Amino acid sequence: MAGEGSTFRLRCSLLGHAQDVRGLTRGLFPEGGFVSVSRDRTARLWAPDGLNRGFTEMHCMSGHSNFVSCVCIIPPSDLYPRGLIATGGNDHNICIFTVDNPAPLYVLKGHKNTVCSLSSGKFGTLLSGSWDTTAKVWLNDRCMMTLQGHTAAIWAVKILPEQGLMLTGSADKTIKLWKAGRCERTFTGHEDCVRGLAILSETEFLSCANDASVRRWQISGECLQVYYGHTNYIYSISVFPRCKDFVTTGEDRSLRIWKQGECAQTIRLPAQSVWCCCVLDNGDIVVGASDGIIRVFTESLERTASAEEIQAFENELAQASIDPKTGDLGDINADDLPGREHLKDPGTRDGQTRLIKDNGKVEAYQWSVSEGRWIKIGDVVGSSGATQQTSGKVLFEGKEYDYVFTIDVNENGPSYKLPYNITDDPWLTAYNFLQKNDLNPMFLDQVAKFIMDNTKGQTLLSTSNQFSDPFTGAGRYVPGSSSGSSTISGADPFTGAGRYVPGSASNAVTPVGGVDPFTGMGAYQSPAAKVENIYFPKKDAVTFDQANPTQILGKLKELNGSAAEEHKLTEDDLIILEKLLSATCNTSAETPTAQQLQTLWRAVNWPEDIVFPALDILRLSVRHPTVNENFCSEKEHVQFIILLLKFLNPKGKQANQLLALRALCNCFVSHAGQKLMMEQRDEIMTQAIETKSGNNKNIHIALATLTLNYAVCLHKVNNVEGKAQCLSVISTVMEVVQDLEAIFRLLVALGTLISDDTNAVQLAKSLGVDSQIKKYASVSEPAKVKECCRFVLSLL
């Protein structure tokens, strides 16, 4: 920033957008440029005009089917050396653009309401905040994780410099700090909806809110300072490069520049809502407002607009109408106001406002310290019908509306709030209002007429009916209803002692060369000795081979006795399954037959409460190449996958969850199974991760093993999406798993995924996995956990 006492003046005004400019961000390419987004459904890239002080619109990007509300730049990568542009809109989508194409490169879908905030981090990560009360973390075109915890719209998001740390600000008046997908801390202090966030350093950040205050916080939770100056909602905050000074914009028609914690300069604009601001690398400030005009202000004399342009701006400002009801100018009593002579006295501080009465008209002036004069900022009108139509500035339950009326049904009863958008149907709104407040339906005509009388002639750009107004939420406020995951007791899910219990014995794993870490055989070595990395990259799948065929068959026969007639197996069927079990458990040299597999298929389609012994036979059989080929081949695989995914339902029986996970792990032993597992990876992993919610350690070990087997396959192919999904699963599962065997397998999976792959290393860092696993580097027993963890950390 420039030296002390310097003043910002207009550099240029840019016309281009047809409606409110809702978001701005400085660009990386072209240098010195920026990107704007608007309610006119477009994003525009602006480059400095070398010949004069202005900017040229390089191109206009379209991809949203409704208003665009936020924008950010994704930093350059090898694939996109000029970076990418991300925009979020009221159509619930995020569009990703290259800097030289007006059409989106791809579209991110997943949010269920307006996307109103975006922030990019290192390694290509993107964080989005939405009115659906969630934030989502994206890598390339995939959603990596969803952050749930706020109870109202998320208006602001920011990725902190430290890996894995993210901030969200919400209409629930709180700010939350997230680490690898989990809420670490909630900041309370603001008295209204949090609208903007800005990062000062690795340990400090700023927030602004509808309570007209700015707060400076330490990420440890302490509020260090509160700044007051605005007289209405503050919508946007941006920090100057290389210092702690910042700028804010809001609903009081102003841009305010803060230096050393004080409001050093106030610039009024001829528009009620100053929605957004950003600071360019040269310290110039760009602001967007409800009049659709972008204005740039500068301290540099070379870049300052001509005297004519500045005069035109002041004339525009002088002609603006100020509605006293906004409260921007305090309580106004026109009869008590002085005349024009009051302007002969100089002001005491920059931005001070003074009202005078001239020929029966009230005018507002603002003191400019740098110019030593009063500048007219508008006429104060009794009641301007236009100011309410500033793109929905009234907040109700965390969302913006064009109007929020107070309705008194009778003199003595309570008053009710009725939010309304210009795009809404007055009759439907009236009907919903009466229903919500349990009021007599006979008031329907009266309420609808009240709405129509008070919103005469107000219409917006027509939009297709299926979309609600983006910045106004179209009255559909649905607070998040994410159900907490229920913890199921970790008691043995099976039938009790002395009976057949699948997987009760430890999982035997065949050693593959050297000491096999999964069997716990690795002898502890002192730190002085050079420990060799025998853990990863793992080359072969880990399987669940432990079996007691006699017990399995005994349980199957017992349950068959009580099965309904249509499910009962004959004596011959049971003999067939016995032969299949001996063929696949290597106790006979026979090859499984088609008849045996058909019988098994009938058995695994038994009802959920009795199917588990049949599932266990499937788990053991699928290791045999013939069975693997049969179930995983092109012809049969659809039903096979549907069957196993059905058993992964977290509300289902834990025994079935466990055996389905183990069967999926065992599919990896043959080529056909690996091919199927990789083709269906997205769906399998999405379903499998849901089983983490119970606290059954055997399920956790099976889930970690499935992730490890995917890591083994992904290490052999360059599949960025697959690795991203796996890393996200590892990060998410690490948060809930306690069992050290499961942790160990997740560490091996992590090491395997990031071995020889710098992109995967960056992605793991961006998720903050390194700080997640550090604690395991000091585990004393089993030694393999500590050793493996240290090898992984050395790569990160």
Side-chain angles (χ1 to χ4, degrees):
M1 268 184 68
E4 276 297 295
S6 47
T7 303
F8 280 88
R9 291 181 178 83
L10 184 72
R11 171 175 169 180
C12 59
S13 298
L14 304 172
L15 304 172
H17 285 295
Q19 288 193 322
D20 305 48
V21 178
R22 285 297 301 227
L24 289 163
T25 186
R26 68 180 185 87
L28 296 174
F29 176 86
E31 206 174 323
F34 62 89
V35 185
S36 60
V37 296
S38 162
R39 285 174 63 108
D40 67 10
R41 309 183 184 193
T42 68
R44 293 168 197 250
L45 177 62
W46 304 83
D49 186 335
L51 302 173
N52 56 41
R53 307 176 187 89
F55 287 80
T56 307
E57 184 185 309
M58 286 192 61
H59 69 260
C60 176
M61 293 159 275
S62 302
H64 289 280
S65 58
N66 219 312
F67 311 139
V68 193
S69 47
C70 54
V71 59
C72 81
I73 299 291
I74 298 173
S77 62
D78 292 343
L79 196 52
Y80 302 105
R82 292 172 167 185
L84 295 169
I85 297 164
T87 60
N90 162 254
D91 55 7
H92 312 177
N93 294 341
I94 299 163
C95 290
I96 308 293
F97 298 89
T98 58
V99 293
D100 46 16
N101 193 331
L105 182 66
Y106 52 88
V107 178
L108 305 177
K109 295 175 183 281
H111 280 296
K112 295 182 175 70
N113 209 324
T114 297
V115 178
C116 50
S117 184
L118 292 167
S119 175
S120 62
K122 294 177 185 170
F123 322 115
T125 47
L126 180 69
L127 176 62
S128 60
S130 165
W131 285 7
D132 65 11
T133 77
T134 72
K136 289 181 183 289
V137 184
W138 309 81
L139 185 88
N140 303 322
D141 59 351
R142 285 300 167 107
C143 177
M144 305 286 296
M145 54 180 67
T146 299
L147 311 181
Q148 292 180 309
H150 284 292
T151 56
I154 295 178
W155 277 101
V157 296
K158 273 283 183 284
I159 296 181
L160 279 153
E162 189 188 318
Q163 287 85 6
L165 286 182
M166 296 172 181
L167 289 167
T168 54
S170 166
D172 64 13
K173 307 177 190 177
T174 70
I175 300 159
K176 289 184 184 288
L177 177 73
W178 306 81
K179 172 93 189 192
R182 195 181 69 192
C183 180
E184 294 273 303
R185 184 168 292 112
T186 299
F187 302 80
T188 55
H190 278 297
E191 291 165 23
D192 205 340
C193 171
V194 179
R195 295 300 286 262
L197 293 165
I199 306 300
L200 287 172
S201 68
E202 287 199 2
T203 56
E204 284 185 24
F205 67 92
L206 297 165
S207 62
C208 64
N210 282 354
D211 61 10
S213 76
V214 174
R215 286 175 175 258
R216 181 161 65 94
W217 306 86
Q218 242 170 351
I219 58 168
S220 57
E222 189 188 349
C223 180
L224 301 172
Q225 202 168 350
V226 185
Y227 308 89
Y228 294 104
H230 281 277
T231 56
N232 209 324
Y233 300 162
I234 306 175
Y235 292 135
S236 173
I237 185 162
S238 188
V239 177
F240 283 102
R242 296 171 295 283
C243 71
K244 290 195 174 182
D245 296 341
F246 58 94
V247 296
T248 51
T249 64
E251 184 63 21
D252 56 7
R253 306 166 75 240
S254 77
L255 155 72
R256 293 176 194 250
I257 293 118
W258 303 77
K259 297 182 182 180
Q260 275 99 45
E262 298 289 325
C263 180
Q265 188 182 351
T266 301
I267 298 173
R268 299 276 173 179
L269 280 91
Q272 182 64 51
S273 308
V274 189
W275 290 119
C276 50
C277 60
C278 73
V279 180
L280 302 179
D281 287 336
N282 60 9
D284 286 4
I285 303 164
V286 187
V287 295
S290 52
D291 59 2
I293 298 173
I294 297 166
R295 295 177 177 88
V296 186
F297 296 89
T298 184
E299 285 181 308
S300 154
L301 293 174
E302 298 102 64
R303 294 194 296 274
T304 301
S306 66
E308 296 78 33
E309 288 171 290
I310 288 178
Q311 190 56 55
F313 172 66
E314 286 187 13
N315 293 345
E316 199 184 349
L317 193 56
Q319 287 157 19
S321 298
I322 301 171
D323 182 356
K325 290 207 290 290
T326 60
D328 300 346
L329 303 168
D331 292 328
I332 300 167
N333 185 341
D335 299 335
D336 299 342
L337 293 175
R340 189 162 291 282
E341 70 283 353
H342 192 46
L343 298 179
K344 288 177 181 160
D345 303 331
T348 53
R349 59 183 171 78
D350 194 83
Q352 179 187 354
T353 53
R354 191 164 276 184
L355 301 178
I356 63 152
K357 194 173 176 186
D358 191 33
N359 294 327
K361 208 169 65 171
V362 178
E363 296 177 353
Y365 285 81
Q366 177 178 298
W367 179 251
S368 166
V369 169
S370 58
E371 299 185 29
R373 66 186 177 101
W374 291 98
I375 296 170
K376 186 180 176 190
I377 59 168
D379 295 313
V380 181
V381 294
S383 173
S384 151
T387 54
Q388 267 295 1
Q389 197 198 350
T390 54
S391 326
K393 63 171 184 160
V394 190
L395 243 86
F396 179 65
E397 291 181 336
K399 302 244 179 111
E400 289 177 332
Y401 293 91
D402 293 319
Y403 297 88
V404 176
F405 299 113
T406 302
I407 306 273
D408 294 305
V409 179
N410 59 50
E411 283 179 27
N412 305 322
S415 58
Y416 300 92
K417 294 289 185 196
L418 189 160
Y420 179 75
N421 285 313
I422 292 160
T423 50
D424 290 349
D425 177 287
W427 295 94
L428 186 61
T429 303
Y431 174 77
N432 289 338
F433 166 75
L434 295 172
Q435 290 277 95
K436 179 184 174 186
N437 296 296
D438 202 20
L439 298 170
N440 194 323
M442 66 177 238
F443 289 119
L444 182 65
D445 286 1
Q446 207 177 327
V447 175
K449 186 174 183 302
F450 171 87
I451 293 170
M452 290 185 281
D453 289 347
N454 285 279
T455 59
K456 275 196 177 115
Q458 299 279 4
T459 54
L460 268 184
L461 169 87
S462 68
T463 57
S464 71
N465 294 337
Q466 73 201 67
F467 298 110
S468 50
D469 182 292
F471 299 106
T472 58
R476 292 178 310 139
Y477 173 61
V478 185
S481 56
S482 61
S483 56
S485 57
S486 59
T487 308
I488 304 157
S489 106
D492 189 292
F494 306 108
T495 46
R499 308 213 199 157
Y500 155 64
V501 181
S504 52
S506 63
N507 310 307
V509 181
T510 319
V512 185
V515 186
D516 188 275
F518 294 91
T519 56
M521 309 261 226
Y524 174 71
Q525 290 168 287
S526 71
K530 172 90 172 95
V531 183
E532 187 190 350
N533 182 0
I534 53 170
Y535 304 108
F536 61 83
K538 190 105 178 82
K539 297 287 196 295
D540 300 291
V542 176
T543 53
F544 290 90
D545 304 324
Q546 184 68 28
N548 186 329
T550 314
Q551 277 195 351
I552 296 173
L553 287 164
K555 192 72 204 173
L556 187 75
K557 286 172 184 172
E558 178 194 320
L559 292 171
N560 187 50
S562 59
E565 281 308 314
E566 69 267 25
H567 297 300
K568 262 199 172 58
L569 300 173
T570 65
E571 281 303 314
D572 287 349
D573 290 335
L574 293 169
I575 293 165
I576 287 168
L577 288 177
E578 191 170 354
K579 283 184 176 170
L580 172 64
L581 206 48
S582 67
T584 54
C585 289
N586 301 323
T587 49
S588 79
E590 291 177 29
T591 299
T593 65
Q595 186 191 23
Q596 289 169 0
L597 297 180
Q598 282 160 6
T599 308
L600 174 59
W601 185 249
R602 275 173 44 221
V604 292
N605 279 284
W606 267 7
E608 199 179 330
D609 54 336
I610 60 169
V611 73
F612 64 87
L615 270 181
D616 216 6
I617 297 174
L618 177 66
R619 183 260 305 187
L620 291 162
S621 306
V622 81
R623 299 170 307 156
H624 193 287
T626 308
V627 183
N628 197 290
E629 178 67 39
N630 180 78
F631 283 128
C632 300
S633 67
E634 294 292 328
K635 208 167 61 196
E636 302 293 338
H637 76 260
V638 178
Q639 279 96 343
F640 178 64
I641 288 295
I642 290 171
L643 176 89
L644 290 178
L645 291 182
K646 178 182 79 178
F647 293 123
L648 294 184
N649 181 350
K651 294 191 178 77
K653 284 178 75 77
Q654 287 197 334
N656 297 341
Q657 290 174 35
L658 175 66
L659 293 166
L661 284 170
R662 289 180 174 180
L664 287 166
C665 291
N666 288 358
C667 284
F668 282 90
V669 296
S670 287
H671 176 72
Q674 282 180 20
K675 185 168 178 284
L676 174 62
M677 292 293 105
M678 292 301 279
E679 281 170 4
Q680 303 293 322
R681 182 202 79 247
D682 189 33
E683 199 158 347
I684 292 170
M685 289 302 264
T686 304
Q687 280 284 93
I689 198 169
E690 295 302 318
T691 62
K692 76 182 192 300
S693 52
N695 61 356
N696 182 303
K697 76 169 193 175
N698 287 328
I699 289 177
H700 286 168
I701 291 169
L703 178 56
T705 309
L706 180 64
T707 312
L708 171 55
N709 286 352
Y710 270 115
V712 170
C713 283
L714 289 162
H715 180 64
K716 297 168 188 166
V717 293
N718 186 23
N719 180 332
V720 181
E721 279 175 25
K723 287 193 172 185
Q725 188 183 27
C726 250
L727 286 167
S728 175
V729 168
I730 291 168
S731 176
T732 309
V733 177
M734 278 274 185
E735 293 294 316
V736 290
V737 169
Q738 306 285 310
D739 182 78
L740 287 175
E741 181 58 36
I743 292 292
F744 170 67
R745 293 182 185 208
L746 290 170
L747 288 170
V748 176
L750 177 56
T752 301
L753 281 172
I754 64 175
S755 291
D756 318 313
D757 186 344
T758 51
N759 278 340
V761 169
Q762 289 179 331
L763 178 57
K765 283 181 177 175
S766 76
L767 289 172
V769 175
D770 46 348
S771 51
Q772 249 181 322
I773 65 170
K774 276 186 182 130
K775 59 185 172 191
Y776 299 113
S778 51
V779 168
S780 53
E781 284 297 322
K784 64 181 183 180
V785 173
K786 171 174 68 180
E787 288 170 8
C788 184
C789 181
R790 288 177 179 175
F791 282 122
V792 174
L793 287 171
S794 69
L795 292 182
L796 294 168

